[in-house]
Amino acid sequence: MSKRVPRVLIAKPGLDGHDRGAKVIARALRDAGMEVIYTGLRQTPEMIAEAALQEDVDVVGLSILSGAHMTLVPRVREALNASGLNDVPIMVGGIIPDEDRAPLSALGVAGVFGPGTSTEEIRDFIERLVAAKDANG
Amino acid sequence: MDNLTTQLLAGNRRALARLLSQIENQVETAAEALAQLHPHTGRAWIIGVTGAPGTGKSSLVNALAQGFRQRGQTVAILAVDPTSPFSGGAILGDRIRMRDLSGDSGVFIRSMATRGSLGGLARATRDCVRLMDAAGFDVILVETVGAGQSEIDIVRTAYTTIVVEAPGLGDDVQAIKAGILEIADVLVVNKADRPGAQQTVRALRAMLELGHPVARQVSHHGQLMTVGEAPVSSALQVEDWSPIVVETVATEKKGIDALLEAIDAHRAHLQGEAFVKRQRQNIEVELLDRLQTALLERLNRSLSSEALRDMIDQVRQRQLSPQAAVGMLLSRL
């Protein structure tokens, strides 16, 4: 019998040093029974893609508070695709202005979570992603 | 042969990553993949790194991996962190200390949660090591959870076991208590630039001397006599090896060459007969473990809850002793 545990990479690309949000999410997902690979601050897109591949994660969560999401997210997506991880979804948390949500979705970001999002919402979102992935084999 | 196993043997890193997940998740096809890969294993040198939380295991693994890479050897790392007994989730944070290794295609790092296992490793660790071995890595570093005094599963998985200590964690009686220090092939005093490091080194050396007496001549009432010539080896250290104590400052890469030399010395010592013996012991423990798990699963399947409830009532009403009840349940297997 298979014992599936969702695996989530939580990474902070770019240069801002505010990792409290990332840690709160990591902790909440742990409490939701998920395995969270936490890679810490100042990750390059290449480092994120490498970790996502080696850890075989179901989703990559990026925490960005610097405002650089419109440059960082496409670069992470490219790095993931270059590693053959086209099927690994990205979710973004942080300070994301409403007008950037549509362009981020167009880049293939599966979910955008701004301030005030409940941790339950993020947990449910990941559980749905994982269920959909497993249903597609 | 299954697609993923073929890809793994060809060096495909994603295939390795996916098979590792299948093993962790106990997917049925994983057993088949392991059976196919088993003949391709046995080439890697497996090194265990264990020790109390905060002694610097991850930093040491990072520095050691760099050392092996400088020698041209490829390295796979399996870093185990604890699963929450309450939620079943885990935060796996060992990669934070291994940033130096990113971007190196000769290194593969995988974080792993214990998923309820108590011996310092996960139940799937052994099989995950096998996959990395089949994938062709020269060295496999297995980092256990922060271990106290009884998490010693690592010794049955690794060939060379490194126990990491740091200054200020305990006195010389801690050092002679039973447990984790007994499994060390190499003892590292990390953070050796901290105050108290020399006391820790001395305490460990003194502890080792009690267990592995060095033959020496002493003058006793004017008579020259030899004491302590027969080394006393514990059950786990069958190879008559005296552990080496090495001082390191992993974050500054100090003492890493000495540590690599100590590992080399142990590896050279564990050749021929001794290596065969060590492998046989490890395999024996593994087979018995697996047999136990399989029997327990069979027991759980065959035991009907009515039969169990019936027995419980009989014991409660003093019609049957617990011992007799177990005997009856067993005989129905």
Side-chain angles (χ1 to χ4, degrees):
Chain A
M1 198 196 67
S2 173
K3 293 170 186 170
R4 177 84 151 88
V5 180
R7 284 169 73 87
V8 184
L9 181 74
I10 298 290
K12 273 198 65 66
L15 297 176
D16 82 84
H18 305 284
D19 59 356
R20 188 177 155 77
K23 284 179 178 158
V24 168
I25 298 303
R27 167 78 199 268
L29 298 180
R30 183 202 80 181
D31 291 344
M34 301 181 186
E35 290 179 0
V36 181
I37 294 92
Y38 186 69
T39 55
L41 295 170
R42 288 182 265 283
Q43 298 279 302
T44 65
E46 290 71 30
M47 289 163 90
I48 292 169
E50 183 181 48
L53 183 143
Q54 294 175 356
E55 302 290 355
D56 191 30
V57 293
D58 299 299
V59 56
V60 172
L62 303 177
S63 168
I64 309 173
L65 294 149
S66 62
H69 47 273
M70 292 310 292
T71 29
L72 289 171
V73 173
R75 286 187 51 209
V76 172
R77 183 72 265 170
E78 278 163 33
L80 287 172
N81 294 353
S83 302
L85 304 179
N86 309 58
D87 53 338
V88 177
I90 294 178
M91 58 179 198
V92 181
I95 316 285
I96 313 289
D98 279 344
E99 61 266 31
D100 288 345
R101 286 178 172 252
L104 284 175
S105 298
L107 285 167
V109 171
V112 178
F113 302 98
T117 310
S118 74
T119 51
E120 288 79 15
E121 206 176 312
I122 297 174
R123 180 197 66 201
D124 293 347
F125 173 79
I126 295 174
E127 280 171 356
R128 280 198 303 275
L129 272 185
V130 170
K133 179 184 171 184
D134 289 352
N136 293 330
Chain B
M1 200 182 266
D2 180 52
N3 205 9
L4 278 180
T5 46
T6 319
Q7 287 173 4
L8 178 142
L9 289 172
N12 182 317
R13 296 157 76 82
R14 195 173 192 200
L16 170 60
R18 289 196 148 163
L19 276 170
L20 288 169
S21 303
Q22 290 192 3
I23 287 175
E24 283 200 276
N25 293 335
Q26 299 179 35
V27 176
E28 281 94 355
T29 50
E32 175 66 14
L34 279 167
Q36 286 168 357
L37 291 171
H38 189 64
H40 299 273
T41 62
R43 220 181 49 84
W45 193 255
I46 305 162
I47 300 171
V49 179
T50 188
T55 48
K57 292 182 294 298
S58 300
S59 301
L60 195 73
V61 165
N62 177 56
L64 257 182
Q66 282 185 299
F68 283 117
R69 292 297 295 139
Q70 276 159 19
R71 294 172 162 196
Q73 291 174 290
T74 56
V75 181
I77 296 169
L78 202 54
V80 187
D81 267 334
T83 291
S84 159
F86 304 106
S87 72
I91 293 185
L92 311 174
D94 289 322
R95 296 186 82 97
I96 296 173
R97 312 260 175 259
M98 301 180 190
R99 298 173 67 104
D100 294 338
L101 304 170
S102 68
D104 183 346
S105 60
V107 176
F108 188 101
I109 307 171
R110 178 66 173 231
S111 315
M112 188 175 199
T114 53
R115 300 200 182 175
S117 180
L118 292 177
L121 299 178
R123 181 146 49 124
T125 301
R126 240 181 323 226
D127 286 336
C128 288
V129 167
R130 266 195 194 116
L131 281 188
M132 291 170 153
D133 189 347
F137 290 95
D138 298 317
V139 176
I140 300 172
L141 293 166
V142 182
E143 180 187 336
T144 74
V145 301
Q149 297 173 318
S150 55
E151 293 90 343
I152 59 169
D153 280 358
I154 185 63
V155 76
R156 287 299 170 226
T157 299
Y159 299 141
T160 300
T161 302
I162 300 173
V163 175
V164 188
E165 291 274 323
L169 289 183
D171 60 14
D172 52 345
V173 180
Q174 292 287 358
I176 56 171
K177 282 187 185 171
I180 196 162
L181 289 173
E182 287 180 85
I183 64 171
D185 298 310
V186 180
L187 266 164
V188 170
V189 177
N190 192 32
K191 309 189 186 185
D193 54 346
R194 298 263 179 100
Q198 286 317 306
Q199 276 125 280
T200 304
V201 170
R202 271 199 301 276
L204 291 175
R205 290 227 165 92
M207 176 275 295
L208 291 174
E209 231 172 273
L210 295 176
H212 303 261
V214 184
R216 61 182 168 200
Q217 296 202 307
V218 292
S219 176
H220 185 70
H221 299 301
Q223 288 270 41
L224 198 63
M225 49 191 288
T226 305
V227 294
E229 46 196 325
V232 186
S233 56
S234 71
L236 290 168
Q237 286 163 328
V238 286
E239 305 100 9
D240 180 24
W241 160 261
S242 300
I244 302 176
V245 180
V246 182
E247 294 167 54
T248 61
V249 184
T251 50
E252 293 170 25
K253 322 277 183 253
K254 284 188 186 149
I256 301 305
D257 286 339
L259 177 53
L260 287 169
E261 280 165 29
I263 293 167
D264 288 344
H266 183 251
R267 185 173 184 173
H269 180 86
L270 199 59
Q271 289 299 323
E273 278 295 293
F275 191 43
V276 171
K277 198 168 168 186
R278 167 66 77 101
Q279 285 179 307
R280 290 181 66 107
Q281 285 176 327
N282 288 6
I283 293 169
E284 181 181 340
V285 171
E286 172 173 4
L287 292 186
L288 291 177
D289 271 1
R290 285 185 190 276
L291 194 61
Q292 236 173 47
T293 309
L295 280 175
L296 210 61
E297 273 167 18
R298 182 182 291 183
L299 179 73
N300 286 336
R301 271 200 310 273
S302 73
L303 196 63
S304 76
S305 51
E306 299 90 69
L308 186 61
R309 209 176 317 129
D310 187 45
M311 285 292 171
I312 292 171
D313 278 333
Q314 289 192 45
V315 173
R316 188 178 61 82
Q317 288 156 359
R318 306 299 186 269
Q319 292 162 354
L320 209 57
S321 74
Q323 293 83 350
V326 167
M328 286 174 69
L329 287 171
L330 266 183
S331 68
R332 291 187 200 166
L333 257 189

